[in-house]
Amino acid sequence: MSATLRDIAAATGLSVTQVSRALNDHDDVSVETKQRAREAARALNYRPNLSARRLASGRSGIVGLVLPPQDRTPRDSMFVQMVRGLSGAFSRQGRLFVLHAAEEGEDMVSVHQRLIDGGSLDGFVLIEPEHDDPRVAYLQKRGVPLVMHGRGAPRPDYPFFDIDNVAVGRELTAMLLRAGHEKIGFVNGIASTCYAAHRREGWEAALRVAGLAVDPALHEHGQMTESVGALATLRMLGGDGPRPTALIAGNMLLAKGVYSALAMLGLKVPGDVSVVVHDDMLPGEDLMSLPPTSGTRAALAHSWEPLADALIGAIEGRPVEDLQRLGGFEIVEAGSVAPPG
């Protein structure tokens, strides 16, 4: 049998009424009491009656994510992991997580408007932020809680979880600079995404600090797929322009394409070309075949709990500054970097 409010009350020393009001986010209950009740509910595997919760609190206990209308086939694995991870994180806090995929040509703000007007969602997780993101402006205007995976502004006024992608780009470049490389190519993500722009900023900053010119021909943007990584590598190494002695890949799929292109050209890593990569630690047998590669590493899976905590905090009315968090990243040395030949 599933746990009841009475079980939670017995475990916490609170009354059944206090537990009920805490789990239903009543404003007259302290944050500490709410947290205490939620932790006991998770430990006891309590599953609330969402219909009763809505009647009691005016909230549905349901949060959502709208996927933008793009071809996501190359990134299906990432989005499956995202949906699975967020669903689990919200479930552990007694919420339901729902996914809505926007149709081709649908305006994202209009989709959010329709879902809000339907009255069934308490708040939204937003992904792939844009600069001055119109979704944020609309949700804030409507007073609807949100959390962003990433940041669409230098000093956001909304909850977010992110890693410091400027620092990621800077560190990946610095690893190659320390080995003596000066011609460093970067195969990056889609130009319109904030994380790709931030990583490019870090790449440029590291080159300038080293007294080197920033050559736009050594930077490629595109979808994070194996084919984009291969084509970008072939363009940079097979063209008439300056040939890089080292390459940065924005993720493991791009790195797989980089390695494939280098093999086609008869070039070895790190003897002929050094390679570094940012690894999101996504599962996949196709990625396990990659050679060990130096770079930075931050598991995407570490985002789910902070995003759920921040959105629930926003729904409960906690201060925004308490709901903004930067995660860290590791530096990995795996033998794919050597001095230029």
Side-chain angles (χ1 to χ4, degrees), residues 123-208:
F124 291 90
V125 178
L126 303 182
I127 62 171
E128 298 188 346
E130 304 172 7
H131 295 288
D132 300 319
D133 199 299
R135 298 171 298 174
V136 171
Y138 180 75
L139 293 175
Q140 288 179 329
K141 180 181 177 182
R142 292 288 301 267
V144 176
L146 67 97
V147 64
M148 180 72 79
H149 186 221
R151 290 168 291 167
R155 288 178 292 278
D157 59 352
Y158 50 80
F160 68 80
F161 179 80
D162 198 9
I163 62 172
D164 187 343
N165 280 296
V166 175
V168 166
R170 188 168 56 239
E171 181 56 37
L172 289 169
T173 310
M175 293 178 78
L176 297 168
L177 290 169
R178 288 193 290 268
H181 294 276
E182 296 186 354
K183 298 295 183 183
I184 300 172
F186 194 164
V187 188
N188 202 351
I190 297 173
S192 61
T193 59
C194 292
Y195 71 86
H198 292 160
R199 291 179 187 178
R200 178 166 186 158
E201 181 182 338
W203 172 73
E204 292 178 350
L207 292 173
R208 290 193 177 105

Side-chain angles (χ1 to χ4, degrees), residues 1-20 23 36-48:
M1 293 178 63
S2 61
T4 65
L5 293 179
R6 194 174 300 279
D7 296 325
I8 298 171
T12 58
L14 299 170
S15 70
V16 172
T17 299
Q18 285 176 306
V19 169
S20 176
L23 295 179
R36 188 171 157 196
R38 284 201 301 266
E39 288 175 355
R42 285 198 296 272
L44 294 169
N45 199 29
Y46 171 72
R47 291 292 178 266

